[in-house]
Amino acid sequence: MKYEITRDYISQGNARPGESLNPVQFIVSHDTANAGASAYANRNYFENVDPTASAHTFIDDKNILEIIPLDEKAWHVRYEVDTDNRRYGADANDAAIAVELAWGGKIDFQEAYDRYVWYHAYLADKFNLDPNEDIVAHSTLDPSRRTDPQNALNRYGISWSEFIQDVSNAYRKYFEKEDMPEPVVKGVSIELPLEIGDEGDFVKEVQQDLIEAGFTLPRYGADGIYGQETQKAVKKFQRTYRLRDDGLVGENTLNKLKEVVGSSKPINDFPLPDGIIQRGDTGPKVKQVQRAIKAVGVSLELIDGIYGPLTEEAVRTFQSRYADLVNDGIYGPNTKEFLEMELEG
Ligand SMILES: [Zn+2]
């Protein structure tokens, strides 16, 4: 085994109903929506908050962390969508393993990506699946609501088909012992910017995003070739969003494009902790809450990492802005959601 798998299961509850999953027919690839949160931070969230949503495995640059046994169900794709039924004859929750890529913040993407690729190959081997057929993106199953894992992958210059190719290579290399090259993340600095003359799946995804953002490509459409028509649309997009209109798709243009088509949130200056934080708690997470509360204009004198009466009062003041929030002075997922909304707005 190239990597160790850590099995640290959460308690049974909403997130881990304990129903048996059998047999495994496919894999659904996800990324975690909260940039910068490690695999363990995600585990803590599911253990402590116990939402009716979950995934089997969270992967960052240090851990491949299984939080739900692979023979039990996790809740990761809406039952209402039917692409999973059409493709595999079953709902993802009943027949698939959910794998989440943690990314952003301090997470070393190359390290996390290597583990993510390897783990997909490991699952393909373990459950006798075909990497080219039996791995599906969450966004493919639920396109109106989800953009993962392309949201994370695209930021680092990796298209979905390149990812599948990497898994397929890893499968042959590690599990069929063929001589294959290691997957290499081309990386933003090497692969970007895209420019005239570039071709490929990633160009195509950028073109699809441009079209979705309202910058049409009437002659050639999303053909995967970065020609003059694409360049013109990119410049127009850049002017519209006050970026330098050089016609090159670099990191800024790419991030803005993802933001515009709703496929990513800009990385927040005020990262917010998951879970419940309340009076008596201390530490860096409390500081994050305090900073955010200040950033949205609630007065709070000290960022001291101590959730005392003043912090509680400040949280209560913030909560009183919204009828949907209980005025309890306790920071939890709902307060987080409204805080995030204000910080983004
Ligand atoms: Zn997902």
Side-chain angles (χ1 to χ4, degrees):
M1 300 269 280
K2 183 169 165 65
Y3 295 109
E4 193 179 308
I5 296 170
T6 306
R7 300 190 168 94
D8 190 351
Y9 303 135
I10 58 174
S11 319
Q12 290 205 354
N14 297 328
R16 181 186 166 192
E19 294 175 24
S20 73
L21 169 69
N22 210 1
V24 173
Q25 295 177 55
F26 59 107
I27 303 164
V28 182
S29 313
H30 302 260
D31 69 56
T32 61
N34 42 344
S38 66
Y40 256 99
N42 278 285
R43 182 193 182 281
N44 292 341
Y45 171 78
F46 288 99
E47 173 72 17
N48 297 325
V49 178
D50 196 23
T52 313
S54 52
H56 294 92
T57 308
F58 291 82
I59 298 175
D60 64 16
D61 53 349
K62 298 186 181 65
N63 288 296
I64 297 174
L65 180 60
E66 291 179 356
I67 71 164
I68 294 179
L70 301 186
D71 58 359
E72 290 183 21
K73 292 180 188 181
W75 307 136
H76 55 106
V77 177
R78 288 190 296 144
Y79 274 105
E80 294 92 313
V81 299
D82 66 351
T83 308
D84 42 4
N85 306 83
R86 280 188 277 116
R87 258 171 104 144
Y88 301 104
D91 282 300
N93 292 335
D94 301 334
I97 301 295
V99 186
E100 297 265 2
L101 174 65
W103 60 282
K106 292 204 180 76
I107 296 167
D108 178 327
F109 185 79
Q110 174 81 59
E111 288 290 331
Y113 181 70
D114 284 349
R115 284 166 177 74
Y116 189 64
V117 165
W118 177 85
Y119 186 73
H120 278 80
Y122 160 82
L123 290 179
D125 180 61
K126 182 179 173 74
F127 295 108
N128 222 347
L129 306 174
D130 177 348
N132 291 298
E133 299 292 329
D134 302 331
I135 300 173
V136 65
H138 192 191
S139 63
T140 302
L141 298 181
D142 195 357
S144 67
R145 303 252 290 248
R146 297 295 168 172
T147 58
D148 60 318
Q150 287 93 329
N151 171 39
L153 298 180
N154 289 0
R155 286 166 182 265
Y156 298 90
I158 300 163
S159 69
W160 174 254
S161 58
E162 284 168 334
F163 165 64
I164 292 297
Q165 188 60 53
D166 284 342
V167 173
S168 175
N169 289 348
Y171 178 75
R172 286 153 66 191
K173 179 182 170 101
Y174 295 113
F175 299 97
E176 296 188 326
K177 307 289 179 224
E178 281 182 43
D179 217 4
M180 299 300 295
E182 292 274 354
V184 174
V185 176
K186 281 171 233 70
V188 187
S189 56
I190 302 165
E191 183 71 358
L192 296 178
L194 295 178
E195 58 192 333
I196 277 212
D198 284 343
E199 289 183 26
D201 289 323
F202 191 53
V203 172
K204 191 169 176 173
E205 286 181 19
V206 167
Q207 290 171 322
Q208 285 164 343
D209 285 349
L210 279 169
I211 293 168
E212 203 184 324
F215 298 83
T216 56
L217 302 168
R219 269 190 81 179
Y220 298 105
D223 61 355
I225 299 167
Y226 202 115
Q228 287 191 356
E229 182 174 76
T230 302
Q231 190 193 45
K232 246 176 85 178
V234 168
K235 283 186 175 179
K236 228 167 123 181
F237 174 82
Q238 290 171 326
R239 283 193 294 272
T240 304
Y241 291 99
R242 298 171 185 275
L243 299 165
R244 191 149 62 91
D245 61 337
D246 55 8
L248 305 172
V249 179
E251 202 177 349
N252 291 340
T253 302
L254 195 61
N255 282 342
K256 179 54 82 175
L257 190 55
K258 293 289 165 199
E259 192 187 321
V260 170
V261 299
S263 57
S264 78
K265 288 187 201 163
I267 294 173
N268 210 315
D269 289 333
F270 298 97
L272 286 166
D274 290 316
I276 308 283
I277 300 171
Q278 57 193 319
R279 186 139 176 197
D281 288 340
T282 56
K285 289 184 173 182
V286 175
K287 280 191 180 174
Q288 290 182 328
V289 173
Q290 291 174 324
R291 284 193 197 101
I293 284 284
K294 256 183 112 100
V296 298
V298 176
S299 82
L300 180 64
E301 221 175 304
L302 271 181
I303 308 287
D304 57 4
I306 299 167
Y307 208 115
L310 294 178
T311 302
E312 190 180 52
E313 190 51 43
V315 170
R316 198 175 275 130
T317 303
F318 173 74
Q319 289 168 330
S320 67
R321 293 179 183 175
Y322 295 99
D324 284 351
L325 285 178
V326 183
N327 238 343
D328 57 6
I330 298 170
Y331 170 95
N334 294 330
T335 301
K336 179 186 177 189
E337 196 183 319
F338 281 87
L339 263 173
E340 264 173 346
M341 206 176 66
E342 280 209 25
L343 289 165
E344 276 168 34

